């Protein structure tokens, strides 16, 4: 709670007290790692994520945090993809894991894989407005499939009618289709 309120000094004190009684708790390690990530202390956050995974190799949120930190802060795309792919191959992937692996693949220039992963994420969480827009964008800009893009933008607008970007893209798709 203190970390969410950006009272990192108080959060750090509480984490240190908690570690006195549970030094190997992967949730505590992960949460403290997230606090250090917010503070920009990347080496420390990655060390804590690694400790969380070492203490509980099945901690999916810790594995996800480690993968994303490796990618975003160290540029270790292969390590991040390996971690996230192993989660999925182990049958433990959730919507976030599929979406994150999709984001990495999109950035590395593999939109087909990104689209497939985004769709798998949407199968698990069909109410993700941002993923609907990502699939629509790939459908439109990479594959040139205006009908598919229109359908995904429409779903995003239905979830949030105030999403101006999705509404504008939907109107562009409809106009190009003569609707």
């Amino acid at each position: 709670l203190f970390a969410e309120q950006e009272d990192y000094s108080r959060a750090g004190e509480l984490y240190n007290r908690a570690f006195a009684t549970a030094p190997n708790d992967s949730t505590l390690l992960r949460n403290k790692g997230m606090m250090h990530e917010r503070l920009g202390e990347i080496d420390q956050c990655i060390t804590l994520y690694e400790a969380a995974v070492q203490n509980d190799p099945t901690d999916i949120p810790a594995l996800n945090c480690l993968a994303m930190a490796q990618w975003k802060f160290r540029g270790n795309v292969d390590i991040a993809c390996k971690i996230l792919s192993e989660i999925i191959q182990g049958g433990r992937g959730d919507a976030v894991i599929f979406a994150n692996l999709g984001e990495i693949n999109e950035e590395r220039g593999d939109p087909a894989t990104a689209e497939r992963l985004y769709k798998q994420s949407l199968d698990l969480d069909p109410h993700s407005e941002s993923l609907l827009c990502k699939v629509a964008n790939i459908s439109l800009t990479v594959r040139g499939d205006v009908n598919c893009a229109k359908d995904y933008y429409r779903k995003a607008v239905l979830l949030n009618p105030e999403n101006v970007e999705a509404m504008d893209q939907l109107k562009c798709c409809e106009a190009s289709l003569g609707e």
Side-chain angles (χ1 to χ4, degrees), residues 134-145:
K134 286 180 181 204
V135 172
N137 186 51
I138 290 173
S139 299
L140 186 61
T141 61
V142 176
R143 294 190 297 106
D145 189 339

Side-chain angles (χ1 to χ4, degrees), residues 57-177:
T58 65
D59 185 335
I60 302 302
L63 286 161
N64 183 55
C65 286
L66 177 59
M68 297 308 285
Q70 287 286 355
W71 171 51
K72 289 181 178 179
F73 303 120
R74 293 218 172 128
N76 293 329
V77 175
D78 293 337
I79 291 173
C81 286
K82 182 179 186 285
I83 293 168
L84 297 175
S85 295
E86 286 176 357
I87 294 169
I88 291 169
Q89 290 166 0
R92 301 173 295 152
D94 60 15
V96 172
I97 300 299
F98 281 101
N100 285 345
L101 189 54
E103 185 179 348
I104 292 170
N105 277 279
E106 185 173 9
E107 187 171 293
R108 71 194 295 197
D110 186 353
T113 299
E115 181 180 33
R116 178 180 53 77
L117 290 162
Y118 290 152
K119 285 181 177 180
Q120 287 176 288
S121 180
L122 283 168
D123 287 344
L124 298 168
D125 178 12
H127 303 293
S128 175
E129 177 187 339
S130 66
L131 285 178
L132 289 166
C133 289
K134 286 180 181 204
V135 172
N137 186 51
I138 290 173
S139 299
L140 186 61
T141 61
V142 176
R143 294 190 297 106
D145 189 339
V146 179
N147 276 315
C148 184
K150 179 189 77 170
D151 290 342
Y152 280 101
Y153 283 128
R154 177 173 286 127
K155 290 175 185 177
V157 168
L158 288 172
L159 286 174
N160 180 6
E162 296 185 21
N163 183 331
V164 175
E165 183 179 338
M167 180 62 80
D168 288 346
Q169 290 294 337
L170 174 59
K171 288 177 184 176
C172 287
C173 289
E174 290 171 341
S176 72
L177 292 169

Side-chain angles (χ1 to χ4, degrees), residues 50-63:
E50 288 171 341
V53 170
Q54 185 176 356
N55 286 322
D56 183 0
T58 65
D59 185 335
I60 302 302
L63 286 161

